Amino acid sequence: MNKIWENIFKFRRKASDEIDAILLKVPVFQDLNNRELKKIKRILHQREYRNNEIIFKEGDIGLGMYIILGGEVQIVCGPDKHVLTELCGGDFFGELSLLDDAPRSAAAVAKSSCVMLCFFKPELIDLISRDPQLGCKILFRLAWVIGERLKSTNEQLKEISCLRQQDPVSA
């Protein structure tokens, strides 16, 4: 093979390998085999966002989840744009919208230029109809992720409640 062409294919293979590595760190996809991962990669959409660009607003109807390949994102809520968390490469958010049609409970804003993979609900529904076994695998992992986040939120609320009970004046 000509060296020029070989380098192009190495670059594509390297980029694909990096995406595989990031996807396999996302709990929703971490149990997938190579064949299943290829199916998922075919339905993901890559998006780029500029610094301070709104990814979605609080109250928007959720379309899907986002996986950060590079850059930083802030999850904010309320009129004062209170920062709930900051996320970076390898992190994901918005997964609840794959399961329900409720409005977004917070906004997502690019804190820097970002590259993301998006996994949208229509593609998940299509995947479930085409490959029910893989679809169920994804749904069970989504349920697990949401359960873990709910447990974590409950623990944080308990801590806040305990602090308020210990010092009601500052609460």
Side-chain angles (χ1 to χ4, degrees):
M1 184 182 281
N2 184 328
K3 287 287 188 194
I4 293 173
W5 293 105
E6 181 181 0
N7 289 337
I8 290 171
F9 295 122
K10 278 184 183 178
F11 174 76
R12 287 185 183 160
R13 201 170 28 247
K14 181 181 176 195
S16 180
D17 290 346
E18 289 172 357
I19 289 173
D20 287 357
I22 288 173
L23 288 177
L24 289 172
K25 289 180 185 174
V26 174
V28 175
F29 305 118
Q30 71 186 126
D31 293 335
L32 302 183
N33 62 41
N34 286 335
R35 181 187 59 79
E36 293 168 330
L37 196 59
K38 279 184 182 180
K39 284 184 178 185
I40 295 299
K41 284 172 49 177
R42 278 187 285 229
I43 61 175
L44 296 175
H45 301 273
Q46 187 167 321
R47 298 279 198 279
E48 294 183 18
Y49 295 89
R50 295 180 312 277
N51 184 33
N52 293 319
E53 186 173 355
I54 295 171
I55 299 161
F56 55 76
K57 297 176 184 174
E58 185 174 352
D60 284 355
I61 297 299
L63 299 174
M65 72 179 275
Y66 297 79
I67 303 155
I68 305 169
L69 295 179
E72 296 177 43
V73 172
Q74 285 186 329
I75 306 298
V76 300
C77 70
D80 63 342
K81 304 293 183 217
H82 174 75
V83 177
L84 297 174
T85 192
E86 292 187 359
L87 306 169
C88 60
D91 289 332
F92 63 98
F93 58 97
E95 68 281 354
L96 188 56
S97 69
L98 291 170
L99 300 177
D100 76 1
D101 294 323
R104 298 276 190 186
S105 59
V109 180
K111 188 177 176 188
S112 65
S113 295
C114 294
V115 178
M116 286 189 245
L117 293 175
C118 308
F119 185 36
F120 294 121
K121 188 173 184 174
E123 282 80 6
L124 175 60
I125 291 169
D126 187 52
L127 174 69
I128 292 166
S129 68
R130 285 185 293 110
D131 188 341
Q133 186 173 359
L134 176 56
C136 283
K137 202 173 191 180
I138 298 292
L139 288 174
F140 277 114
R141 293 302 297 173
L142 270 169
W144 179 84
V145 165
I146 291 166
E148 289 300 306
R149 290 197 175 180
L150 179 60
K151 287 186 241 179
S152 175
T153 300
N154 285 343
E155 287 302 313
Q156 291 173 15
L157 289 172
K158 282 182 195 176
E159 289 175 21
I160 291 169
S161 179
C162 288
L163 288 174
R164 284 186 175 162
Q165 289 174 359
Q166 291 172 1
D167 189 12
V169 175
S170 65

